[in-house]
Amino acid sequence: MVHEFDAVIVGAGGAGLYAALEASKTAKTAVVSKLYPTRSHTGAAQGGIGAALGNVDEDSPEWHAFDTVKGGDYLVDQQAAKILAEEAVQAVYDLENRGLPFSRTPEGKIDQRRFGGHTRNFGEAPVHRSCYAADRTGHMILQTLYQQCIKNDVHFFDEYQVVEAVMDGNRIAGLVVFELSTGEVHLFKAKAVLFATGGFGRMFKITSNALANTGDGPAVLARAGIPLEDMEFFQFHPTGIRGMGILITEGVRGEGGILKNSKGERFMERYAPPLLDLAPRDMVSRAIMTEIQEGRGMRGDRKIDDYVMLDASHLGRDVVYAKIPDIADFCKTYLAVDPAEKPMPVQPTAHYAMGGIPTNIHGQVCTDDVVYDGLYAAGECACVSVHGANRLGTNSLVDLVVYGRRAGRHIADYVKNADFAHLPEDAAKRATTRVSKLKGEKGKHPGELYERMQGVMMEKVGVYRDEKPMSEAVAALQKMREELGEVRVQDGSENFNQEVLSILELENLLDLSLITATTALARTETRGAHSRRDYPERDDEKWLKHSLAYLSGNEVKLDSKKVDTSIWEPKPRTY
Amino acid sequence: MNVTLEIQRFNPEDDKKPAFKKYSVTVDPTDRVLDALMDISRNQDGTLVFRKSCAHGVCGSDAMRINGRERLACKTLIQDVTDDDNTVIKVEPLRHLPIQRDLMVDQNPFFDKYRSVKPFFFPDEMPEEKENIQSQDERAMFDDATKCINCSACYSACPVLDKNTNFIGPAAIVQAARFVFDSRDQGLEPRLGVLDTADGVWPCENHFECTRVCPREIKVTKLINLTKREIKKYREARGEKTAEPEESK
């Protein structure tokens, strides 16, 4: 079937829904989502959304922008960070005005808590900047935006998986989309397409990400010849539940929780004295891995899956159950631990992709030389770049609200004067052939390949990186991409064929894994979350630039994009 | 340990009616039931289908009946449903919604009812470039209701829906209550047309099954009763009658 819309939004998390709300004011808009909208992973964000409201401490957007730039180890585009911090304030008021139930101060204002790397007066001390709704801020944002979409009659295509983006030169022409319930392949013709498909943490074995976070948007665009930016920068959140990776919010440390090693030492005293447990995430994750590798993990065997303890028991039962009730619930469910009584076993968990689809401050996909007309991206799958080499806690929600809204507004304007590009009638042919080939002869199950990819990425492209393991990872991933051709489904049905979907997802993850491993191998410096044992220093002379990676067959070709350092001169990043 | 999952299978493309199929899986007692289901679909039988996403109880995708009780497969550990090696764990789709295939049900009727209560903000007034002021006590009034993830577990467990398929169901009332008790919202008035009807709040008979199965531990029945009381108060103040049927009073 062929559909025609002014704008198609791919993904129904925070960025997609906000963009849809804005775009649908003038444009005939459809939201295409692989999940029911309220299932999106925005709903799992816990700790809060950073904005310099100054409700608890004195604060300013300028300080927020600076923290963001410094937190990102100066690979942040500084004007974009300034916009992020300035527009965050009104964005939070807008969400509240649309019903979002923020927690409140005693005066009835939006309450704020401390979060890693957010400071007063350019690094003096931690500041209360994160606006929160208990420990389910993302859930509230997702619910509020979906509610507003219902109120405004936004048109949804639920459980539709995008498989290809069709370009007409440097213009978007439309999308090829797989409908899960029928197996039908649809064509969506559109003047503007926004990708807001979220993250791809599922390429790693231990991750906080949902099973659905398979990087569909970036992978689809990479295969359409669009470069991806800064893919070597992947954030490991310091505190995932041991073995499972389920996120324990930084808000626990914001409320006073403390990390301890097997000797009971508060080891962050040795790594970041002024900010301690509230240092940025890359630093805390490295500190944990160093403790483990030096034998001070809880088991003491120096293995990559050893763990440390996060202690919140001294905060008292009232604080734990009022401020982090869901965390208490997770710990009781999965660990049989009550955090009001006992510390929680934690280890770093793959959490957030700083890199993704390169955009400018309007959400338009672009390189230094080209703007791809009608093509947009926002949220985690995009790279504006406001997170640079390491994202600060709470800035993901800020990013998707501020830049989801900006992209939606730009689309609403753009479609007024734009035409449809040429979408060939047989555009769906390749996808249809691919799906029937999967169902054709007998072949391997996808399970083993999936696990192998996650294991290789976790061990060889994880918190600490080195040339040899990463070269091995690149070779292994290239081999796996070839092996994927031998994978077949057992399920021959047309309706609800989850197996076809899972192989399409695996293909996306393999493509993005190869790009991540290749760009990480190429960047011979340490910056933010990209931490090379063989190149332990930041190298501004050679590497103060964004990487751009083009997927070409089984190879990745590298290029670069300028970094905007127009406000603050890069300095050593110490806390 | 080794367990057997006895799973209800049904594909309308091939089958006349649902039938159970057994799968043997090796698991740790602390694995999730979802892990066992994923192991089956990835490594044993690719034709088994079910919904899933966050895998830690916040997205609401994988509600199903496990040993006869509504649960999220990702929030249920093997040791929660069995202690013994070689026991059988029965897995079935939710009730009161049409089966699409295997453990997947059509949630559209559920979401239609959800949308019918106007689950969005009707502000009294809009402040300019500031937040509405709301006290901590006012905020606490509707906190429980904000936790709902639309998983449909309560909708499946509700005995009233066995006999009255038009009942809007527990989750829709929880979603309404989230706004009815929010001091910033116009509250009851915009939603009376749905709540105060024969298929609105009144069919609830206080079986408490919704409260028992809610994976978010929302006191669902309590919220329904508070909403009923609020409607009565509203009608009494205006000298009007509620739509509560005489026989249930």
Side-chain angles (χ1 to χ4, degrees):
Chain A
M1 199 195 279
V2 182
H3 310 262
E4 197 174 290
F5 287 92
D6 291 332
V8 176
I9 310 292
V10 186
L17 293 179
Y18 219 137
L21 273 176
E22 292 294 337
S24 60
K25 285 179 183 164
T26 65
K28 188 186 168 200
T29 303
V31 180
V32 172
S33 167
K34 75 195 277 187
L35 302 169
Y36 279 97
T38 58
R39 312 297 186 218
S40 301
H41 207 51
T42 297
Q46 297 167 357
I49 174 166
L53 306 187
N55 283 356
V56 179
D57 295 333
E58 185 194 356
D59 202 359
S60 88
E62 193 190 3
W63 298 348
H64 184 184
F66 175 77
D67 289 339
T68 301
V69 169
K70 184 178 173 187
D73 218 349
Y74 292 91
L75 198 69
V76 172
D77 288 322
Q78 298 187 358
Q79 295 296 339
K82 187 163 171 265
I83 289 170
L84 181 88
E86 284 170 356
E87 295 188 7
V89 175
Q90 188 55 42
V92 165
Y93 290 142
D94 282 351
L95 286 169
E96 196 282 338
N97 294 170
R98 290 173 175 204
L100 196 141
F102 282 106
S103 295
R104 298 288 168 161
T105 65
E107 304 80 42
K109 293 180 184 174
I110 294 169
D111 202 6
Q112 299 184 277
R113 60 163 54 128
R114 299 184 306 170
F115 243 77
H118 289 279
T119 71
R120 174 165 60 82
N121 202 17
F122 308 100
E124 261 181 21
V127 71
H128 290 74
R129 183 178 291 149
S130 169
C131 311
Y132 67 97
D135 54 356
R136 23 184 185 262
T137 315
H139 167 76
M140 301 300 191
I141 289 180
L142 189 65
Q143 295 285 330
T144 302
L145 291 175
Y146 184 56
Q147 290 156 4
Q148 291 296 314
C149 284
I150 296 173
K151 192 175 184 181
N152 291 287
D153 277 327
V154 174
H155 193 97
F156 284 91
F157 290 85
D158 297 334
E159 299 191 323
Y160 281 64
Q161 172 79 0
V162 172
V163 289
E164 269 180 58
V166 185
M167 302 296 294
D168 178 7
N170 286 336
R171 273 173 86 191
I172 186 77
L175 297 169
V176 182
V177 181
F178 177 76
E179 182 186 6
L180 185 68
S181 67
T182 61
E184 194 187 337
V185 175
H186 297 249
L187 279 181
F188 282 76
K189 208 174 168 178
K191 294 175 182 172
V193 170
L194 173 107
F195 281 91
T197 58
F200 34 90
R202 281 282 153 183
M203 65 168 69
F204 295 97
K205 187 175 172 195
I206 302 291
T207 178
S208 63
N209 282 200
L211 292 156
N213 291 150
T214 53
D216 305 329
V220 156
L221 287 181
R223 289 197 294 272
I226 311 286
L228 300 182
E229 180 176 348
D230 289 345
M231 291 290 284
E232 59 272 42
F233 296 100
F234 205 99
Q235 177 169 85
F236 283 78
H237 192 291
T239 58
I241 290 183
R242 170 173 58 108
M244 304 180 98
I246 296 167
L247 186 67
I248 303 287
T249 175
E250 197 170 307
V252 173
R253 283 170 285 140
E255 297 294 347
I258 293 169
L259 286 162
K260 291 178 178 169
N261 62 18
S262 61
K263 294 175 164 179
E265 294 166 338
R266 185 179 197 179
F267 56 84
M268 284 312 297
E269 285 173 352
R270 289 200 299 275
Y271 298 89
L275 298 185
L276 297 166
D277 300 89
L278 286 173
R281 290 174 177 173
D282 58 329
M283 293 185 164
V284 182
S285 285
R286 275 196 295 277
I288 293 174
M289 292 316 288
T290 303
E291 290 297 304
I292 286 170
Q293 280 159 5
E294 292 178 358
R296 293 187 296 275
M298 297 310 290
R299 283 200 314 261
D301 58 11
R302 299 167 196 256
K303 286 192 180 153
I304 188 175
D305 62 344
D306 201 357
Y307 59 98
V308 297
M309 288 299 197
L310 173 61
D311 193 357
S313 59
H314 57 286
L315 302 180
R317 185 163 293 273
D318 290 350
V319 171
V320 167
Y321 284 85
K323 299 290 182 80
I324 48 167
D326 278 5
I327 297 301
D329 183 32
F330 298 151
C331 289
K332 284 193 282 187
T333 302
Y334 299 111
L335 298 164
V337 165
D338 181 346
E341 285 169 11
K342 281 184 181 171
M344 301 164 256
V346 294
Q347 70 181 122
T349 181
H351 184 56
Y352 188 88
M354 270 73 74
I357 305 161
T359 75
N360 60 22
I361 54 168
H362 308 297
Q364 294 175 288
V365 179
C366 66
T367 65
D368 281 339
D369 310 314
V370 182
V371 173
Y372 296 92
D373 285 330
L375 187 59
Y376 294 78
E380 185 173 349
C381 76
C383 182
V384 181
S385 150
V386 288
H387 308 305
N390 172 64
R391 174 173 73 74
L392 291 189
T394 79
N395 271 356
S396 60
L397 293 179
V398 188
D399 181 12
L400 61 83
V401 171
V402 168
Y403 284 99
R405 185 167 69 159
R406 287 179 75 91
R409 287 184 178 169
H410 203 272
I411 288 170
D413 208 36
Y414 172 83
V415 297
K416 281 188 217 157
N417 300 309
D419 293 325
F420 288 96
H422 175 63
L423 182 69
E425 276 169 32
D426 63 348
K429 201 173 159 194
R430 191 163 42 167
T432 317
T433 314
R434 167 119 172 79
V435 171
S436 39
K437 194 180 161 208
L438 284 177
K439 293 179 182 172
E441 61 257 63
K442 280 211 177 342
K444 289 203 297 190
H445 271 295
E448 187 273 331
L449 204 49
Y450 209 110
E451 282 166 26
R452 198 164 8 128
M453 169 192 70
Q454 291 181 320
V456 163
M457 289 301 288
M458 196 76 201
E459 279 170 32
K460 298 178 191 291
V461 199
V463 172
Y464 278 116
R465 297 168 170 183
D466 227 323
E467 180 172 344
K468 187 163 170 285
M470 283 194 290
S471 309
E472 290 164 2
V474 169
L477 289 161
Q478 284 170 326
K479 185 163 167 286
M480 284 183 237
R481 288 179 85 232
E482 283 163 8
E483 283 179 52
L484 184 71
E486 299 155 26
V487 170
R488 295 287 181 274
V489 298
Q490 289 182 319
D491 188 352
S493 303
E494 299 293 329
N495 62 327
F496 299 102
N497 196 317
Q498 297 275 19
E499 216 184 0
V500 167
L501 180 64
S502 74
I503 292 170
L504 296 173
E505 291 176 335
L506 175 59
E507 180 183 28
N508 293 339
L509 285 173
L510 279 171
D511 289 354
L512 299 183
S513 295
L514 179 67
I515 294 172
T516 300
T518 309
T519 51
L521 179 61
R523 186 176 281 269
T524 50
E525 67 159 350
T526 285
R527 183 186 296 273
H530 176 64
S531 187
R532 295 275 304 241
R533 286 199 183 282
D534 45 357
Y535 297 93
E537 301 298 325
R538 196 173 84 190
D539 182 355
D540 282 349
E541 205 169 306
K542 199 170 163 204
W543 284 109
L544 186 58
K545 60 185 181 186
H546 300 295
S547 69
L548 287 184
Y550 293 83
L551 189 64
S552 168
N554 212 1
E555 304 288 329
V556 176
K557 294 190 174 138
L558 300 177
D559 197 357
S560 65
K561 192 178 171 204
K562 290 189 201 97
V563 181
D564 165 18
T565 56
S566 55
I567 306 173
W568 293 288
E569 198 185 323
K571 285 189 185 146
R573 178 171 168 249
T574 51
Y575 288 94
Chain B
M1 68 191 279
N2 211 65
V3 292
T4 300
L5 264 61
E6 189 178 9
I7 303 173
Q8 182 175 314
R9 303 295 310 270
F10 175 64
N11 185 347
E13 275 187 10
D14 308 314
D15 307 325
K16 286 205 177 72
K17 59 176 193 196
F20 284 93
K21 192 171 173 187
K22 287 183 179 175
Y23 299 90
S24 175
V25 241
T26 308
V27 290
D28 283 330
T30 53
D31 280 350
R32 297 162 275 209
V33 172
L34 179 65
D35 296 319
L37 289 170
M38 300 260 302
D39 187 39
I40 294 167
S41 76
R42 274 188 185 162
N43 299 307
Q44 286 191 42
D45 184 349
T47 68
L48 173 69
V49 300
F50 49 90
R51 287 193 176 88
K52 62 200 179 293
S53 188
C54 77
H56 65 288
V58 297
C59 81
S61 295
D62 63 349
M64 53 188 74
R65 282 186 300 148
I66 300 169
N67 283 347
R69 182 187 157 142
E70 285 75 9
R71 290 170 171 274
L72 299 179
C74 64
K75 228 186 153 183
T76 308
L77 306 188
I78 298 289
Q79 67 191 15
D80 298 338
V81 283
T82 179
D83 298 328
D84 302 325
D85 221 11
N86 296 316
T87 44
V88 176
I89 300 167
K90 201 170 189 178
V91 185
E92 301 161 277
L94 295 180
R95 305 186 312 147
H96 303 139
L97 294 165
I99 300 175
Q100 290 169 317
R101 188 178 158 184
D102 295 342
L103 301 172
M104 297 172 77
V105 294
D106 180 3
Q107 287 196 300
N108 282 314
F110 172 85
F111 276 105
D112 287 345
K113 289 175 178 178
Y114 160 74
R115 280 188 288 268
S116 77
V117 302
K118 302 196 177 98
F120 37 77
F121 199 48
F122 284 102
D124 283 326
E125 52 193 44
M126 286 290 240
E128 291 264 324
E129 297 181 2
K130 274 285 167 197
E131 71 262 61
N132 296 286
I133 297 298
Q134 182 170 51
S135 75
Q136 291 176 340
D137 288 345
E138 287 170 335
R139 170 65 180 74
M141 281 288 293
F142 65 103
D143 185 66
D144 207 27
T146 65
K147 296 181 338 201
C148 179
I149 54 174
N150 301 312
C151 70
S152 312
C154 58
Y155 194 85
S156 171
C158 176
V160 173
L161 278 152
D162 291 349
K163 50 189 181 188
N164 177 5
T165 55
N166 292 325
F167 175 39
I168 59 171
I173 302 172
V174 167
Q175 292 291 346
R178 179 253 166 273
F179 294 99
V180 168
F181 297 105
D182 185 339
S183 58
R184 301 168 299 167
D185 193 273
Q186 290 171 29
L188 202 50
E189 207 149 79
R191 302 174 178 92
L192 264 181
V194 179
L195 296 175
D196 188 18
T197 62
D199 296 322
V201 295
W202 305 115
C204 171
E205 296 167 353
N206 285 308
H207 293 279
F208 282 88
E209 288 302 321
C210 48
T211 305
R212 259 175 226 123
V213 301
C214 178
R216 302 288 291 158
E217 295 176 6
I218 299 171
K219 295 182 181 72
V220 182
T221 321
K222 183 181 170 192
L223 286 169
I224 296 173
N225 287 325
L226 286 172
T227 308
K228 284 181 177 174
R229 203 196 300 166
E230 199 68 14
I231 294 171
K232 284 180 183 162
K233 219 164 75 187
Y234 178 94
R235 291 296 189 202
E236 271 167 26
R238 283 162 184 72
E240 298 164 355
K241 275 189 175 168
T242 68
E244 184 178 15
E246 281 303 316
E247 67 273 16
S248 67
K249 276 183 187 167

